[in-house]
C-alpha cells in the first residue's frame, strides 16, 4: 500500500478547528468572569432546568424512536394498503418548523381556540391548558422523528436483504426478526437519527420558551442576558454538551467492539404481506404522526395562506423566497462538502483521534443557534478589527455579510450532513475502499471513483436534510443577517410575534413548498 | 437636506447609497416599516434595518465595535437601553427638538436614549368575579384574599423584570423579595405564555386577575377573532398604585450608536419618529401611549382615563435588572 498522506487528517483538523472557533471564543470570553451568579443559579434553578431537559430528552427520544423506527420498519418490510403513500408522507412533518407547529397548535388548542369553542358548542365547558410539558414533548417528537425515520429507512433500503431474506424464508417471527436482525443491523442509523433528535431537542428554544418549559437552552439566555453573566451561560452550555457526550459514550460502550455492517451485494427484499389485522394496525399507527405532524397543521397553513395570499404576495415576497432558497442551497452544499471530507478522512484513517474529531465537529448542533451566532459575532469582530487595521479598509468585511450567516449554518448543521455520510460509509464497509487503494489509486481518486458513487444517494439525502434545516433556522439567522435581509423563517416569526400568526401562514407554506420537491426527489432515489 | 456622501463603499451594497441611516431594531411592527418609508420619501435618506432581539443586537454592536455600520439602536424596553448605555454603545445627542418634546423622565439624563412610545403595566380582572374596589396596588396582589387568583407571565420576561426592578427601587430589596414570594404564593398556575394568554386564562376561569401591558388589552379588543374580542371585553382595566407612586410604565425607545457613521441622519430619524405625524401613527397602530405630549392617545386608551405614572427614572429599571432576576429565581417565580 502507498504511504498514507496525512494531509487529509491535517485538513480535517483545520476544518474542525475553524468550526469550533466560535464556541472557543465564547468560552475564552467566559474565563475570569464572576461566578457568584453561577452559585446562585445552582442553588435556585439549575436542577430544575436539568431535570426538565432530561425529561424532554427521554420523552422526545422514545416517541421519535417509536414513530421513526417502526414507521421505517413497516414501510420497508411489509406490503399493506397505502404502503407507498405512507413511505412518502411520513417524512413530511420534517418540513414544518417546530416553532410554527407550536404557534399552530396553541392557536388551535388554546383557550377560545377552535377546539375549545367546538366543545362549548357541544355544551362542554371544559378548559384545558395546552401550554404544558407533555404538549412540548409531543410537538417536538412530531417535528423531529422524521430524522430517525429517514436515516433508518435509508439504511434498511441500502442493505439488509441479504441478511433478512434467509430469516424471512425461515419464517422467523416478526418480533424476533425485528429484534434480532433488523435492530442490530440498523443500529448506527437509529443511533445517528436519535442523536440528531436529542441534539435538536437540547438546543430547542422557541417552542419550549413559548410553552413555558425551562430547559438548559432557555437557562443560557437567562444567565447571559438576564443576569449579564456570560460565564454562567458558557457553563450551562457545557452542561448541555456534556449530556450529549454522555449519550454518545453510553451508546459506544453499549455497542462495544461489535461492528454491524453488511458487505453483501444488494438484492431485492422479499416483503412480507401484512394480514388484515396487522394492516389496520399499521395504517392507524402511521396515521398518527402523519395526521398531527403534517396534515392538520398543513391544512391550517393552507387555509390561512389562502385567506391572506392577496395581502402578502408581492415583489418583496418573491425576493424573500429567492434569498432563502439560495442561502440554504449554498450553505447546505458547503456543509455536505465539509462532512464528506471529514467523514472520508475518518473512514480511511480509523483512529480514535479521528473519531473524537468528528464528534467535536458536530458539537454546534447541540448548542442553541443564538449562542453560536453570538460566538460568531465576537469572532468576526476580532477579525474585522484586524482586517481594517491591516488593510486600512473603511468598513466591516465580515460583519453583517452573508459569509457569516453561511458559516453559522455550517457550525450548526454539520452534524446533520456528517450523520448521513458516516452511516452510509459504515453501511458500505471499507472493503471497496481498501481494494481500490491496493490498486495504487490515490485517496482522492478512490473517493471520487469508488466511494462517492456508492454513497451518492445518502449524500443527496444529507444535502436535502441540511437544506431544509437551514430553511427553517431562525435564531442564528435573526442575529447574523445583513441589513434588510429577510428569510421565510424570519418573516414567519416576525408576523407570528406580532400576533399575526394567521397572516404568517403564506411564509410557512412557502417553507413547506420550497422543500417538498427536493424531498420527494430524494425519496424516489431510494426506491 | 443632510446628505453625507460616504466614501466609495466597496464592501456592501448598502454602502453605495448616498444618504442612509442604519437601524438595529427590536421593534418589529408594520407601523415602524411604514414610518421608515415615510421618512425616506420626505428626506431621501434610505433606512436600512436589521431586526432581532435587543440583547442580541447589543452583542452585535459590541463585537462590531467602532467599525459598526449601525446608527440607531431601538429597543422595546428601558432596561436594554440602559444596558447599551452602560456598555458605552450609545452617544449623547443634544437636539433642541428632542429635549423640548420628550419629557425629562422619558429620556436619558445624558441624551443617550429617548423614549418613542410608552406602555403601562396594569392589572386586569374578570369583571364577573372581581370587584375593582378590592384592587389597589401591585403590592396588595400578594394578600391572602388573592390566593390562587393571579396570572402573570414568566420571570424571564423583561417587563416583569422591570416591574420588580421598579419595586426594588421604590420599596427596597427586602420588600421586593417579599412581593415576589407573595405573588408566587398567589399564582393560579405556573407562569407560561404571553400577556394575551394570561387574559385568556382569566376569561377561561383559571384565575381572576392578570398583570399585563396596556397594548395587549387593546390588541385583544381589536382582534380579528371574535373570541379574542370577547375575552378583551371580559377584562376590567385597573391602574394600580394611583394613591401612591403611580402605575409602572415602560417604554420603547432609541439611542444613537456611539460610532454612528451617519449621525446627522440618525438624529433626523429620531426627530422624525418623535414628530406629531409619526407619534400619531404609533398611537393608532399599536395602542401604545405616545411620548410627544402634543399627540393624544388612541380613543381606546383615552376611554380608560388619565392615570398617574410612576416617576422613577427609567435608568433604575436597567440598574436593578440583574438583582430582579436573582430575586425571581430565589422566590421560585418560574
Amino acid at each position: 500500500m502507498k504511504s498514507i498522506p496525512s494531509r487529509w487528517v491535517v485538513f480535517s483538523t483545520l476544518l474542525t478547528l475553524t468550526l469550533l472557533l466560535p464556541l472557543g471564543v465564547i468560552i475564552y470570553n467566559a474565563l475570569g468572569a464572576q461566578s457568584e451568579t453561577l452559585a446562585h443559579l445552582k442553588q435556585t434553578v439549575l436542577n430544575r432546568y436539568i431535570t426538565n431537559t432530561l425529561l424532554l430528552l427521554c420523552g422526545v427520544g422514545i416517541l421519535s424512536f417509536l414513530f421513526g423506527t417502526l414507521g421505517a420498519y413497516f414501510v420497508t418490510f411489509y406490503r399493506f394498503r397505502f404502503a407507498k403513500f405512507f413511505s412518502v408522507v411520513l417524512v413530511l412533518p420534517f418540513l414544518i418548523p417546530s416553532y410554527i407547529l407550536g404557534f399552530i397548535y396553541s392557536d388551535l388548542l388554546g383557550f377560545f381556540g377552535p377546539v375549545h369553542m367546538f366543545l362549548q358548542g357541544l355544551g362542554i365547558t371544559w378548559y384545558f391548558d395546552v401550554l404544558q410539558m407533555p404538549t412540548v414533548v409531543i410537538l417536538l417528537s412530531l417535528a423531529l422523528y422524521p430524522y430517525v425515520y429517514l436515516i433508518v429507512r435509508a439504511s434498511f433500503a441500502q442493505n439488509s436483504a441479504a441478511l433478512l431474506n434467509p430469516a424471512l424464508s425461515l419464517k422467523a417471527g416478526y418480533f424476533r426478526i425485528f429484534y434480532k436482525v433488523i435492530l442490530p443491523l440498523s443500529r448506527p442509523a437509529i443511533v445517528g437519527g436519535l442523536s440528531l433528535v436529542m441534539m435538536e431537542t437540547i438546543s430547542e428554544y422557541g417552542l419550549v420558551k413559548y410553552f413555558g418549559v425551562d430547559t438548559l437552552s432557555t437557562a443560557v439566555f437567562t444567565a447571559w442576558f438576564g443576569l449579564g453573566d456570560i460565564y454562567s451561560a458558557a457553563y450551562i452550555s457545557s452542561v448541555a454538551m456534556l449530556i450529549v457526550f454522555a449519550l454518545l459514550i453510553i451508546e459506544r460502550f453499549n455497542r462495544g467492539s461489535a461492528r454491524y455492517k453488511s458487505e453483501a451485494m444488494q438484492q431485492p427484499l422479499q416483503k412480507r404481506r401484512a394480514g388484515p389485522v396487522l394492516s389496520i394496525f399499521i395504517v392507524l399507527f402511521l396515521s398518527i404522526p402523519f395526521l398531527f405532524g403534517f396534515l392538520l397543521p398543513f391544512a391550517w397553513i393552507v387555509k390561512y395562506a389562502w385567506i391572506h395570499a392577496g395581502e402578502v404576495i408581492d415583489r418583496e415576497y418573491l425576493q424573500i423566497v429567492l434569498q432563502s432558497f439560495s442561502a440554504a442551497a449554498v450553505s447546505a452544499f458547503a456543509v455536505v462538502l465539509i462532512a464528506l471530507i471529514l467523514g472520508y478522512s475518518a473512514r480511511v484513517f480509523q483512529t480514535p483521534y479521528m473519531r473524537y474529531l468528528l464528534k467535536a465537529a458536530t458539537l454546534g448542533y447541540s448548542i442553541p443557534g443564538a449562542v453560536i451566532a453570538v460566538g460568531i459575532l465576537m469572532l468576526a469582530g476580532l477579525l474585522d478589527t484586524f482586517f481594517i487595521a491591516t488593510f486600512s479598509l473603511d468598513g466591516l468585511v465580515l460583519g453583517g455579510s452573508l459569509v457569516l450567516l453561511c458559516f453559522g449554518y455550517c457550525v450548526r448543521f454539520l452534524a446533520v450532513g456528517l450523520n448521513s455520510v458516516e452511516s452510509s460509509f459504515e453501511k458500505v464497509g471499507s472493503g471497496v475502499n481498501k481494494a481500490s487503494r491496493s490498486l495504487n489509486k490515490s485517496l482522492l481518486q478512490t473517493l471520487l471513483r469508488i466511494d462517492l458513487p456508492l454513497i451518492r444517494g445518502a449524500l443527496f439525502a444529507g444535502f436535502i436534510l441540511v437544506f431544509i434545516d437551514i430553511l427553517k433556522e431562525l435564531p442564528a439567522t435573526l442575529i447574523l443577517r445583513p441589513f434588510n435581509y429577510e428569510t421565510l423563517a424570519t418573516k414567519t416569526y416576525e408576523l407570528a410575534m406580532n400576533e399575526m400568526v394567521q397572516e404568517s401562514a403564506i411564509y410557512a407554506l412557502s417553507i413547506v413548498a420550497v422543500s417538498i420537491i427536493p424531498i420527494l426527489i430524494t425519496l424516489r432515489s431510494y426506491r | 437636506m443632510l446628505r453625507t456622501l460616504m466614501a466609495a463603499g466597496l464592501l456592501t451594497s448598502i454602502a453605495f447609497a448616498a444618504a442612509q441611516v442604519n437601524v438595529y431594531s427590536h421593534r418589529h411592527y408594520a407601523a415602524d416599516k411604514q414610518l421608515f418609508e415615510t421618512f425616506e420619501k420626505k428626506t431621501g435618506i434610505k433606512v436600512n434595518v436589521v431586526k432581532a432581539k435587543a440583547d442580541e443586537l447589543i452583542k452585535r454592536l459590541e463585537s462590531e465595535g467602532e467599525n459598526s455600520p449601525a446608527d440607531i439602536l431601538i429597543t422595546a424596553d428601558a432596561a436594554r437601553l440602559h444596558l447599551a448605555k452602560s456598555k458605552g454603545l450609545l452617544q449623547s445627542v443634544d437636539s433642541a427638538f428632542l429635549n423640548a418634546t420628550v419629557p425629562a423622565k422619558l429620556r436619558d439624563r445624558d441624551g443617550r436614549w429617548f423614549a418613542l412610545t410608552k406602555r403601562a403595566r396594569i392589572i386586569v380582572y374578570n369583571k364577573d368575579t372581581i370587584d375593582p374596589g378590592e384592587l389597589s396596588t401591585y403590592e396588595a396582589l400578594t394578600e391572602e384574599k388573592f390566593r390562587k387568583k393571579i396570572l402573570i407571565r414568566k420571570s424571564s420576561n423583561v417587563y416583569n423584570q422591570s416591574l420588580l426592578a421598579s419595586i426594588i427601587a421604590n420599596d427596597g430589596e427586602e420588600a421586593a423579595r417579599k412581593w415576589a414570594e407573595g405573588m408566587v404564593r398567589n399564582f393560579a398556575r405556573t407562569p407560561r405564555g404571553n400577556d394575551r394568554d394570561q387574559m385568556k386564562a382569566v376569561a377561561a376561569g383559571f384565575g381572576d386577575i392578570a398583570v399585563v401591558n396596556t397594548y395587549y388589552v387593546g390588541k385583544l379588543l381589536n382582534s380579528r377573532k371574535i373570541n379574542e374580542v370577547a375575552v378583551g371585553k371580559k377584562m376590567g382595566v385597573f391602574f394600580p398604585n394611583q394613591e401612591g407612586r403611580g402605575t409602572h410604565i415602560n417604554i420603547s425607545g432609541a439611542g444613537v450608536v456611539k460610532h454612528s457613521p451617519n449621525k446627522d441622519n440618525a438624529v433626523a430619524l429620531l426627530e422624525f419618529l418623535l414628530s406629531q405625524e409619526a407619534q400619531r401613527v404609533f398611537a393608532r397602530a399599536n395602542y401604545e401611549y405616545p411620548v410627544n405630549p402634543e399627540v393624544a392617545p388612541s380613543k381606546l386608551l383615552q376611554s380608560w382615563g388619565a392615570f398617574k405614572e410612576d416617576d422613577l427614572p427609567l435608568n433604575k429599571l436597567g440598574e436593578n435588572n440583574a438583582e430582579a432576576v436573582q430575586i425571581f429565581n430565589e422566590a421560585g417565580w418560574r
Side-chain angles (χ1 to χ4, degrees):
Chain A
M1 200 190 285
K2 276 175 72 173
S3 71
I4 296 164
S6 62
R7 55 190 159 170
W8 284 84
V9 177
V10 174
F11 192 51
S12 301
T13 309
L14 285 178
L15 274 176
T16 307
L17 286 179
T18 311
L19 292 175
L20 288 176
L21 265 179
L23 309 182
V25 170
I26 288 180
I27 292 167
Y28 176 77
N29 273 273
L31 297 176
Q34 58 189 15
S35 65
E36 278 165 36
T37 317
L38 187 58
H40 159 80
L41 286 171
K42 279 182 177 165
Q43 252 168 34
T44 51
V45 290
L46 198 57
N47 280 341
R48 195 179 75 242
Y49 292 160
I50 293 176
T51 316
N52 277 347
T53 306
L54 291 176
L55 278 176
L56 203 61
L57 280 174
C58 286
V60 175
I62 292 169
L63 278 184
S64 314
F65 171 77
L66 281 181
F67 289 142
T69 312
L70 285 179
Y73 171 66
F74 287 138
V75 300
T76 313
F77 296 107
Y78 287 91
R79 258 179 299 173
F80 57 95
R81 208 175 254 277
F82 308 119
K84 261 205 179 112
F85 172 75
F86 277 111
S87 81
V88 174
V89 299
L90 281 177
V91 185
L92 298 181
F94 178 59
L95 304 182
I96 302 180
S98 56
Y99 54 93
I100 294 183
L101 214 55
F103 288 142
I104 293 174
Y105 275 102
S106 56
D107 187 68
L108 285 175
L109 297 173
F111 301 133
F112 308 100
V115 173
H116 274 111
M117 292 330 269
F118 176 74
L119 288 177
Q120 271 186 21
L122 299 177
I124 308 167
T125 313
W126 168 65
Y127 290 106
F128 52 86
D129 200 345
V130 70
L131 303 175
Q132 310 246 25
M133 172 77 116
T135 328
V136 175
V137 169
I138 293 169
L139 291 183
L140 264 185
S141 307
L142 287 174
L144 298 178
Y145 85 86
Y147 283 114
V148 182
Y149 171 76
L150 213 63
I151 293 173
V152 170
R153 211 190 67 139
S155 99
F156 283 162
Q158 212 175 39
N159 72 93
S160 32
L163 285 166
L164 266 179
N165 285 344
L168 287 169
S169 55
L170 286 172
K171 301 243 183 283
Y174 304 105
F175 183 74
R176 269 187 63 130
I177 293 186
F178 183 68
Y179 189 74
K180 289 272 182 190
V181 183
I182 295 172
L183 268 192
L185 247 184
S186 6
R187 188 157 173 166
I190 295 173
V191 171
L194 273 180
S195 62
L196 290 184
V197 170
M198 298 287 187
M199 289 163 110
E200 191 81 66
T201 305
I202 281 194
S203 62
E204 165 63 42
Y205 181 68
L207 183 66
V208 291
K209 187 168 184 215
Y210 185 71
F211 279 69
V213 175
D214 295 306
T215 64
L216 288 171
S217 101
T218 58
V220 170
F221 288 84
T222 312
W224 198 341
F225 297 132
L227 293 163
D229 183 13
I230 189 177
Y231 174 71
S232 308
Y235 177 87
I236 296 167
S237 291
S238 25
V239 174
M241 286 187 256
L242 267 182
I243 293 179
V244 172
F245 259 135
L247 290 171
L248 294 173
I249 287 168
I250 290 171
E251 148 59 20
R252 202 158 276 285
F253 270 115
N254 200 6
R255 199 192 322 181
S257 55
R259 309 200 65 80
Y260 305 94
K261 66 184 75 155
S262 78
E263 311 226 344
M265 294 300 289
Q266 293 204 8
Q267 49 174 285
L269 179 79
Q270 305 163 6
K271 287 196 180 191
R272 190 179 267 212
R273 180 176 293 283
V277 180
L278 186 63
S279 278
I280 292 173
F281 171 78
I282 292 178
V283 169
L284 284 181
F285 177 79
L286 298 184
S287 298
I288 297 172
F290 168 60
L291 206 60
F292 295 104
F294 185 77
L295 197 58
L296 188 66
F298 186 68
W300 186 98
I301 290 174
V302 169
K303 178 184 164 192
Y304 289 107
W306 179 255
I307 293 177
H308 296 287
E311 301 162 28
V312 274
I313 294 197
D314 51 16
R315 274 191 56 185
E316 190 201 353
Y317 165 80
L318 290 176
Q319 194 193 349
I320 292 174
V321 172
L322 211 66
Q323 269 172 359
S324 309
F325 192 90
S326 48
V330 170
S331 310
F333 183 77
V335 168
V336 170
L337 192 65
I338 298 171
L340 185 64
I341 294 169
L342 290 182
Y344 186 64
S345 308
R347 167 179 168 75
V348 178
F349 306 99
Q350 293 179 348
T351 56
Y353 172 76
M354 280 308 296
R355 271 209 302 281
Y356 287 118
L357 195 70
L358 257 56
K359 290 287 170 249
T362 59
L363 268 183
Y365 199 52
S366 58
I367 298 172
V371 175
I372 291 177
V374 171
I376 290 178
L377 280 181
M378 292 176 176
L379 185 66
L382 294 177
L383 289 174
D384 271 336
T385 312
F386 170 76
F387 287 147
I388 287 166
T390 317
F391 306 107
S392 54
L393 306 167
D394 56 9
L396 295 178
V397 183
L398 293 169
S401 73
L402 283 172
V403 176
L404 282 195
L405 197 58
C406 176
F407 180 55
Y409 292 145
C410 290
V411 176
R412 178 101 177 81
F413 294 120
L414 181 70
V416 181
L418 202 53
N419 212 294
S420 302
V421 172
E422 271 192 298
S423 63
S424 61
F425 272 149
E426 264 195 65
K427 275 286 164 232
V428 176
S430 54
V432 282
N433 184 282
K434 285 179 185 147
S436 159
R437 275 154 53 213
S438 69
L439 292 172
N440 260 348
K441 298 287 176 201
S442 77
L443 283 178
L444 188 62
Q445 278 173 322
T446 307
L447 172 63
L448 295 180
R449 295 260 187 85
I450 309 291
D451 290 287
L452 211 50
L454 275 175
I455 62 160
R456 202 179 44 203
L459 220 51
F460 189 62
F463 172 83
I464 295 303
L465 284 182
V466 177
F467 174 84
I468 294 169
D469 259 329
I470 293 173
L471 216 53
K472 298 188 297 184
E473 208 286 335
L474 185 65
T477 314
L478 283 176
I479 306 174
L480 292 175
R481 61 184 164 156
F483 280 109
N484 309 329
Y485 187 88
E486 299 276 0
T487 67
L488 292 169
T490 62
K491 200 70 192 176
T492 307
Y493 177 75
E494 182 187 321
L495 288 169
M497 288 320 275
N498 285 340
E499 332 236 330
M500 293 159 78
V501 180
Q502 300 179 345
E503 284 84 344
S504 77
I506 188 82
Y507 292 98
L509 180 65
S510 313
I511 295 180
V512 178
V514 170
S515 30
I516 201 163
I517 297 159
I519 203 129
L520 290 178
I521 296 173
T522 321
L523 288 172
R524 278 178 64 94
S525 71
Y526 276 132
R527 286 267 166 77
Chain B
M1 206 47 241
L2 317 147
R3 276 185 182 263
T4 37
L5 207 71
M6 294 255 311
L10 297 165
L11 307 164
T12 48
S13 59
I14 49 162
F16 283 107
Q20 59 175 359
V21 56
N22 298 325
V23 180
Y24 282 2
S25 177
H26 186 164
R27 286 176 60 103
H28 39 58
Y29 304 117
D32 295 29
K33 193 178 168 195
Q34 183 197 330
L35 285 173
F36 292 151
E37 278 165 10
T38 313
F39 178 74
E40 275 176 28
K41 275 199 202 103
K42 286 192 139 179
T43 62
I45 299 171
K46 170 108 173 64
V47 183
N48 300 306
V49 187
V50 172
K51 286 166 288 184
K53 290 182 189 143
D55 291 321
E56 298 156 357
L57 293 172
I58 289 172
K59 286 278 176 251
R60 184 159 167 174
L61 281 176
E62 271 187 287
S63 61
E64 288 169 345
E66 58 187 87
N67 309 310
S68 177
D71 298 302
I72 290 189
L73 173 71
I74 299 181
T75 76
D77 71 284
R80 261 66 166 265
L81 284 172
H82 174 75
L83 180 69
K85 178 195 170 185
S86 64
K87 285 174 183 278
L89 298 171
L90 301 178
Q91 64 170 293
S92 173
V93 168
D94 189 19
S95 147
F97 174 75
L98 291 178
N99 292 344
T101 309
V102 183
K105 66 168 180 178
L106 296 179
R107 57 184 150 89
D108 178 50
R109 211 177 304 120
D110 312 321
R112 289 183 204 269
W113 52 258
F114 300 84
L116 297 174
T117 63
K118 44 181 188 171
R119 50 284 290 273
R121 196 138 183 85
I122 55 165
I123 297 174
V124 295
Y125 56 93
N126 186 336
K127 286 182 193 161
D128 301 335
T129 60
I130 294 287
D131 169 10
E134 291 182 67
L135 299 168
S136 58
T137 60
Y138 299 110
E139 288 79 357
L141 292 179
T142 62
E143 285 170 12
E144 175 77 35
K145 63 179 173 186
F146 298 124
R147 189 71 31 109
K148 301 238 176 281
K149 291 189 172 173
I150 309 282
L151 288 149
I152 187 166
R153 65 200 287 183
K154 291 171 74 78
S155 64
S156 54
N157 174 255
V158 74
Y159 299 121
N160 280 348
Q161 292 170 5
S162 288
L163 176 59
L164 183 56
S166 80
I167 295 178
I168 296 172
N170 281 308
D171 304 346
E173 187 198 329
E174 235 2 83
R177 187 180 304 277
K178 285 232 168 64
W179 180 75
E181 286 164 359
M183 288 291 280
V184 172
R185 253 198 315 278
N186 284 353
F187 280 168
R189 63 168 183 182
T190 313
R192 59 186 75 138
N194 55 30
D195 276 7
R196 288 199 312 176
D197 292 323
Q198 311 309 321
M199 290 186 269
K200 288 180 184 174
V202 167
F206 273 72
D208 301 284
I209 295 168
V211 178
V212 298
N213 278 3
T214 34
Y215 54 90
Y216 286 111
V217 186
K219 288 202 163 179
L220 274 186
L221 285 168
N222 290 281
S223 169
R224 285 198 213 178
K225 298 184 204 161
I226 46 166
N227 296 331
E228 291 198 334
V229 178
V231 171
K233 286 192 170 150
K234 266 193 154 180
M235 299 298 122
V237 166
F238 184 84
F239 289 89
N241 296 64
Q242 289 303 294
E243 307 291 318
R245 64 176 184 263
T247 299
H248 169 68
I249 57 158
N250 209 325
I251 55 159
S252 71
V256 174
V257 174
K258 176 84 174 288
H259 300 286
S260 157
N262 311 292
K263 183 177 176 185
D264 292 343
N265 296 351
V267 174
L269 179 57
L270 269 189
E271 289 177 346
F272 170 73
L273 290 176
L274 281 152
S275 69
Q276 293 193 27
E277 178 189 4
Q279 288 281 304
R280 265 194 294 275
V281 175
F282 277 137
R284 202 174 49 230
N286 212 26
Y287 315 105
E288 295 174 281
Y289 288 93
V291 162
N292 185 327
E294 303 295 318
V295 176
S298 65
K299 286 227 167 62
L300 174 70
L301 299 198
Q302 286 183 38
S303 75
W304 295 338
F307 67 97
K308 181 179 173 190
E309 296 173 8
D310 185 352
D311 283 334
L312 183 78
L314 295 175
N315 275 332
K316 286 278 174 219
L317 306 183
E319 287 166 17
N320 293 340
N321 194 269
E323 193 178 351
V325 174
Q326 293 213 353
I327 292 178
F328 274 139
N329 283 343
E330 280 154 16
W333 186 318
R334 302 272 174 101

